[in-house]
Amino acid sequence: MDELSISQVAKRTGVSARMLRHYDEIGLFSPSRVSPNGYRWYAVQSLPRLYRIMALRRAGLGLAAIADIVSDQAAEVGALREHLVELRAERDRLTSLIDAIGEHVAQLDEMHSVGSGERDDHVEERIAFANRLKGQFGSNVGGELRVDPLELLSEADVAHITAEMKQLMQGLAALMVERHRPDSPQVHDLVARHFDLTTRYWPTDLATYRSLGRLYETDPLQRQIAVAAHPDLPTWLSTAIESYVDGTAASKP
């Protein structure tokens, strides 16, 4: 097909027939011929000029300035090829940006669902956990830890805390797998962060924290938190917490 009708050009390029007629009137882009019945026909070879006009319009240039730029028909294909390279680079940049934003949104959605799930799925477990604390450590310890501080936080906060605890458990498990001793400085550094995270939401002293450390071995709910990072973590972590408490208490005047 050597020629296209005005409707075919409009469909192929996205430029309306009305605009094509206007381009013809001002001499910017004209048909190769007009049939006796008034129909405009465009040579296929002339389309690069139209594509160039479209690109310059998107760049914000006025029609008069565009007419000057595209007056050299011999340069049309070369100029269009350069613009194609620019458009592909912009497409790649936008694709990367879209992927990055999409990944971030997915992470936020996951965190939101985790936060919601923690609230909805573990209510009965928290009550049972509080009762076990009361039976094992007495009403004072059980009482102060029975209150769920997460109830006062937003879902985003809960999701952040959950992710922070998961990261800590994974870090501790990695040290264990690397055969670090539970009383090593590297392990104590991470346990200190675990203690800070715990006391951020529960008024826990060192003695109570030592007791909580034992729960990673004995309590189903706490044990599961550690097992999620590594099956062997509960006992190792309990020992690490006990060592940290002994070392911290000894260092105090």
Side-chain angles (χ1 to χ4, degrees), residues 103-208:
E103 182 178 350
H104 185 63
V105 169
Q107 290 174 348
L108 290 176
D109 286 342
E110 182 179 355
M111 291 175 65
H112 177 78
S113 64
V114 168
S116 299
E118 288 295 327
R119 292 179 187 275
D120 298 335
D121 297 339
H122 299 308
V123 173
E124 293 183 2
E125 292 178 352
R126 286 201 304 266
I127 295 173
F129 175 54
N131 290 333
R132 291 194 296 272
L133 286 173
K134 183 177 180 180
Q136 186 169 354
F137 304 118
S139 59
N140 290 336
V141 173
E144 71 178 7
L145 294 177
R146 184 167 55 249
V147 177
D148 179 18
L150 304 186
E151 294 292 346
L152 303 178
L153 302 176
S154 68
E155 291 185 357
D157 290 333
V158 174
H160 178 76
I161 295 164
T162 302
E164 190 174 353
M165 180 62 75
K166 180 180 179 180
Q167 184 182 42
L168 274 174
M169 289 296 169
Q170 290 173 341
L172 288 161
L175 291 178
M176 180 192 69
V177 171
E178 294 169 2
R179 299 187 180 279
H180 286 267
R181 291 172 53 88
D183 60 353
S184 69
Q186 297 94 325
V187 173
H188 278 194
D189 285 345
L190 276 189
V191 174
R193 288 175 54 191
H194 181 271
F195 176 72
D196 289 341
L197 180 61
T198 302
T199 56
R200 193 186 307 169
Y201 302 102
W202 283 288
T204 309
D205 57 20
L206 284 173
T208 303

Side-chain angles (χ1 to χ4, degrees), residues 181-241:
R181 291 172 53 88
D183 60 353
S184 69
Q186 297 94 325
V187 173
H188 278 194
D189 285 345
L190 276 189
V191 174
R193 288 175 54 191
H194 181 271
F195 176 72
D196 289 341
L197 180 61
T198 302
T199 56
R200 193 186 307 169
Y201 302 102
W202 283 288
T204 309
D205 57 20
L206 284 173
T208 303
Y209 183 60
R210 183 198 299 271
S211 299
L212 288 174
R214 299 192 194 110
L215 292 178
Y216 283 111
E217 291 186 272
T218 62
D219 186 83
L221 180 59
Q222 295 299 101
R223 182 179 178 82
Q224 184 56 39
I225 294 173
V227 167
H230 193 284
D232 299 331
L233 185 58
T235 299
W236 185 89
L237 177 56
S238 177
T239 303
I241 289 175

